[in-house]
Amino acid sequence: MTTVATPRTASPTGAPARPRTALDWRIRFGVLSLIWGFSFLLIKVGTDGYAPFQVTFGRLLFGTAVLVAAMAVKRERLPRGARTWGHLTVAALLLNALPFSLFAYSELTIPSTLAGICNATSPLWGMALSLVALSEDRPTRRRVASLGIGFLGVLTVLGVWQGFHGLDATGTAMALLASLSYPVGWIYVRRTLAGTGASHLSMTGAQLLLATVQLAVVTPLFTTLPSRFPVVPLLAIVALGALGTGFAIFLQYGIVAEVGPTTAQMVTYFIPVIATAAGVAILGEALAWSTPVGAVIVLAGAALTQAKPRR
């Protein structure tokens, strides 16, 4: 569940490589996959006791706290400039406030396994949008094939031959819209925030801070203060924010700095596998054969979007 997008040109090209950390990046990559894979389970548990907007607000609040602490330790400053903060406000909406809220609402009516699989369609949405919005991305047979394969996988997951029997259309549409919101946000950031000179951690911290403010405004308008505070859902929200948002983004920041964004983005292909396993094993969610088969097809299409053409 990629939740932030900072411009690739934020750091100077040719800058010296960052020192490797004591823990191998592959181990950190595995931890990141587990954290984001379990996020959909935590959303489901959180919405059992609190309204979706409250779950999202708590998630952003605790996630922001972790990144602010990381910035303090590293002595990072927030970015400057009204223009930068204006664009970050839009990015916070598209990459955090909106998709997080949509996923929380979707899991009121659909299993966490289906939400995790819908999240894997983000690279497919991104490929389709980039062909329209980015002039440097030209349609090729590989890209068209990846979109076709991914679309076939989505239809398989939804069980189109059964007429979508037993499927909540509203919840599924919300999860797919949440997945669509990510690449829309990435394209926006790519067009507006490239070359700001601020670090990835600084931009991400500011983005989550703005998303938290947005939910702080929206949540009281659509929800009422809970009369009781169930402990297990509350702990799920804390874990979702502190681990699934703040700490996970910090992990991703380090992996991108060490091995590059292309390798780091491979985490997308592990998230639905872990989300499905967690939903079935822990929450006891039902799993039809079409769900894992369709997920594999979706992941194949998503992987094809990242494949580099032969020269």
Side-chain angles (χ1 to χ4, degrees), residues 1-4 6 18-37 39 63 66-71 74 200-201 204-205 208 239-261 263-267 271 274:
M1 185 190 292
T2 305
T3 57
V4 295
T6 49
R18 294 177 182 267
R20 293 176 178 270
T21 60
L23 194 62
D24 186 82
W25 73 268
R26 296 172 185 83
I27 298 177
R28 286 179 282 135
F29 183 93
V31 172
L32 180 62
S33 302
L34 284 172
I35 291 174
W36 271 340
S39 292
V66 170
L67 285 189
V68 168
M71 290 176 62
K74 290 180 170 289
H200 290 286
L201 182 58
T204 301
L208 280 189
L240 180 65
L243 293 177
T245 304
F247 181 66
I249 291 174
F250 186 70
L251 270 182
Q252 186 194 34
Y253 164 76
I255 295 172
V256 169
E258 186 170 332
V259 299
T263 301
Q265 287 174 359
M266 294 296 290
V267 70
I271 292 174
I274 296 170

Side-chain angles (χ1 to χ4, degrees), residues 103 114-128 147 150-151 153-155 157 172 175-183 186 268-269 272 294-295 298-299 301-302 305:
F103 272 125
L114 179 55
I117 293 171
C118 288
N119 180 75
T121 63
S122 280
L124 299 170
W125 290 119
M127 174 64 71
L147 293 175
F151 182 65
V154 171
L155 293 179
V157 170
T172 305
L176 291 173
L177 283 174
S179 304
L180 171 62
S181 184
Y182 290 132
W186 297 332
T268 303
Y269 310 132
V298 168
L299 292 177
T305 67

